[in-house]
Amino acid sequence: MQNFNDLAAFATVAQERSFTRAAAKLGVSPSALSQTIRNLEERIGLRLLTRTTRSVAPTEAGERLMHTVAPRFEEIEAELATLNELREKPAGTVRITAGEHPAMSVLQPALKRFLPDFPDIQVEIIIDYGLTDIVAEGYDAGVRMGEQVAKDMVAVRIGPDIRMAVVGSPAYFKLFPVPRTPQDLTAHKCINMRLPTHGGLFPWGLEKDGREMKVRGDGQLVFNTLGMRLNSALDGLGVAYMPEDEALPYVGDGRLVRVLEDWCPYFPGYHLYYPSRRHTSPALTLLVEVLRYRGS
């Protein structure tokens, strides 16, 4: 490293043809710079600069060395400038793992606002319902509900609290009575969801007046996607338990009927999480700020 520093000092003196100007450019004293050049000449065993009281000029060996090393240092400076531009104009790929619902309801709207302003950033979203180890799997970040985020992660809230809804089609409820209590669901065709983290069917979390119930109803259909549960409910194939925001548009136009509303609690909203001990890329930092939930 000493050779590199001394060579950089020599190239500056040779280009400036002045110890005074070169010292000012390098931020050192002329005497210290002169000693640096002497040390370099002693190690090489050749005189590199001809010094007089009025001028400094490279010797033949100095000219040869200057033409060799100066362009290299210019290339290094240019590359550092390019890296600085990357900092000012973030680029690269951000990989995120998330469930289907947060990907559609939170990430997708944010990307619509974010990506047009940063054409050099790519975002890759992988739908996964497992509690993925984002470090081991090479992800930059993940999305989970608040209570599922590991303690050693930085967690940023990206959405409001979530409420669930139990829904079925009008045609379905012409064939089956409207459930009034969670126990009534045992007589219904429940459209279930299987998640890898639960090792079985996803329980329907219902609560009223401090009384919590986990319902696992029977039915003919089990899916691992939100879209197919919704479509099956619209087709009259059973009752489904899903995020309220996905169901309400269909409740509003009469295509679905909401039941057990007073038993549907709120859950902690989605959080984006990433390792606390890893350097955060400028691209991810920008995306986090776009996603950060600031209240309604």
Side-chain angles (χ1 to χ4, degrees):
M1 289 302 299
Q2 185 63 44
N3 281 334
F4 288 127
N5 292 335
D6 292 354
L7 285 171
F10 160 74
T12 304
V13 175
Q15 290 170 333
E16 294 293 332
R17 302 294 177 105
S18 165
F19 275 95
T20 301
R21 289 195 299 272
K25 191 172 184 178
L26 294 171
V28 298
S29 68
S31 59
L33 181 57
S34 180
Q35 185 61 49
T36 296
I37 300 303
R38 287 195 188 94
N39 292 340
L40 176 63
E41 289 175 330
E42 288 176 2
R43 287 200 303 275
I44 293 176
L46 292 170
R47 181 172 293 279
L48 301 174
L49 295 171
T50 300
R51 305 168 178 84
T52 68
T53 55
R54 294 185 178 182
S55 65
V56 175
T59 63
E60 181 181 353
E63 285 281 358
R64 182 171 177 178
L65 182 61
M66 183 180 70
H67 288 305
T68 301
V69 302
R72 305 296 190 275
F73 285 113
E74 289 175 1
E75 290 174 6
I76 292 171
E77 289 292 337
E79 185 59 30
L80 289 174
T82 300
L83 293 176
N84 189 56
E85 289 177 4
L86 287 178
R87 183 190 64 188
E88 296 172 355
K89 185 181 180 182
T93 299
V94 178
R95 299 186 72 236
I96 302 174
T97 175
E100 184 182 11
H101 181 243
M104 294 172 60
S105 64
V106 179
L107 299 183
Q108 187 72 54
L111 294 179
K112 182 178 179 180
R113 304 191 307 271
F114 174 74
L115 291 179
D117 293 333
F118 301 99
D120 295 322
I121 294 178
Q122 296 82 42
V123 179
E124 179 179 340
I125 297 174
I126 303 300
I127 303 300
D128 186 355
Y129 288 101
L131 297 180
T132 305
D133 183 336
I134 60 173
V135 175
E137 298 297 328
Y139 289 102
D140 297 292
V143 177
R144 292 181 188 167
M145 286 188 178
E147 79 277 10
Q148 296 177 327
V149 177
K151 300 300 182 184
D152 60 343
M153 294 286 173
V154 176
V156 178
R157 189 181 181 96
I158 60 174
D161 285 348
I162 299 166
R163 193 182 188 198
M164 304 298 285
V166 180
V167 293
S169 72
Y172 175 83
F173 286 122
K174 286 182 180 179
L175 301 175
F176 297 88
V178 173
R180 304 297 178 186
T181 68
Q183 293 89 336
D184 294 342
L185 290 171
T186 59
H188 283 268
K189 296 180 179 181
C190 295
I191 302 168
N192 284 304
M193 186 173 191
R194 190 181 300 279
L195 299 181
T197 52
H198 290 79
L201 299 182
F202 179 67
W204 297 12
L206 302 175
E207 179 183 339
K208 183 178 180 181
D209 299 329
R211 183 185 177 192
E212 297 182 13
M213 298 188 67
K214 298 290 187 181
V215 178
R216 288 181 172 86
D218 293 327
Q220 294 176 284
L221 293 172
V222 178
F223 299 110
N224 68 346
T225 67
L226 172 60
M228 295 194 74
R229 284 184 292 145
L230 174 60
N231 288 336
S232 295
L234 290 167
D235 289 340
L237 298 177
V239 291
Y241 178 78
M242 65 182 60
E244 182 182 64
D245 62 302
E246 293 294 326
L248 287 184
Y250 301 95
V251 173
D253 66 15
R255 296 173 64 188
L256 288 176
V257 176
R258 185 172 189 176
V259 299
L260 298 174
E261 183 174 356
D262 55 340
W263 279 92
C264 292
Y266 284 90
F267 296 97
Y270 294 117
H271 287 64
L272 186 84
Y273 66 98
Y274 51 92
S276 59
R277 298 177 183 177
R278 179 192 291 178
H279 172 71
T280 304
S281 70
L284 178 59
T285 299
L286 277 172
L287 184 56
V288 167
E289 287 309 307
V290 171
L291 288 167
R292 188 183 299 275
Y293 179 67
R294 294 174 173 82
S296 55

